[in-house]
Amino acid sequence: MRHDVFIAGYGGQGVLLAGNLLSYAAIHENRNVSFFPAYGVEKRGGSAMCTVVFSDGDTGSPVVGNPSVALILNQLSFDKYAAKVKPGGVCIVNSTLVDTGSCGLTCVELVAVPMNQIALDLGDMRMVNMVACGAYAAKSGSLALESLEEALKKALPERNHRLIPANIRAIRAGAAAAVSDP
């Protein structure tokens, strides 16, 4: 089965690391993967986005015009990309920063996860991307949480391996928030 996810936010939210993590998790599950990062010339504060496509067979192009799932981490990205999610798809938004009040999305499941608040509650705002990855895995069912946890060893530089337990807590918290009843 083929899965695709589009992740968008601003520089500093860990969008590209999230895409790398999902890619390594899919590889851990013996899937073929295409990863396509894109970011503005600024480092922090500019736009950052990526697409991850994974499949048991061929992945095809990593460029996806209408993703099945979108992970949206800030308001500007929501305003720009949420309407591109394909009908029947899922849009998982960082409800701490995104107001979906008058979005008018039809035929798309909108999943609000307070990613910034969860990361703050866990003690580290840099965990927003891990919360997002956990939410994606739980809501889509396309990757096992254990695969994400194992993939942290490859996605994070060795000097940051001491942070793996905290990242695992963030992944699990995001997963729990995505599937809990509102």
Side-chain angles (χ1 to χ4, degrees):
M1 182 163 197
R2 182 182 184 278
H3 301 276
D4 61 75
V5 58
F6 175 77
I7 309 169
Y10 57 79
Q13 286 184 301
V15 168
L16 302 184
L17 176 57
N20 266 326
L21 180 65
L22 295 178
S23 297
Y24 280 121
I27 291 168
H28 181 75
E29 294 184 4
N30 295 313
R31 306 228 181 114
N32 297 318
V33 178
S34 291
F35 171 60
F36 184 65
Y39 47 90
V41 294
E42 314 88 1
K43 263 198 174 239
R44 299 217 181 259
S47 63
M49 65 208 80
C50 66
T51 304
V52 179
V53 179
F54 57 97
S55 174
D56 294 325
D58 293 335
T59 59
S61 173
V63 178
V64 178
N66 298 101
S68 301
V69 181
L71 277 172
I72 306 292
L73 305 185
N74 68 338
Q75 188 69 48
L76 184 62
S77 297
F78 180 80
D79 295 343
K80 190 172 183 180
Y81 300 113
K84 294 184 182 278
V85 177
K86 76 167 62 170
V90 178
C91 186
I92 304 170
V93 299
N94 180 357
S95 61
T96 310
L97 299 181
V98 177
D99 176 15
T100 61
S102 61
C103 67
L105 285 180
T106 58
C107 303
V108 171
E109 182 181 358
L110 195 59
V111 179
V113 176
M115 297 174 196
N116 278 49
Q117 187 59 53
I118 291 169
L120 189 61
D121 292 346
L122 292 170
D124 193 341
M125 280 301 294
R126 295 173 297 175
M127 298 289 173
V128 169
N129 56 350
M130 296 298 131
V131 174
C133 286
Y136 168 75
K139 190 63 186 175
S140 70
S142 60
L143 293 168
L145 291 180
E146 295 78 17
S147 296
L148 287 176
E149 294 169 7
E150 190 63 32
L152 285 167
K153 295 172 189 167
K154 294 205 183 261
L156 294 175
E158 193 168 324
R159 70 181 182 276
N160 291 338
H161 281 198
R162 61 185 166 69
L163 301 173
I164 288 176
N167 282 281
I168 290 172
R169 284 191 298 279
I171 288 168
R172 290 179 182 168
V179 295
S180 68
D181 292 327

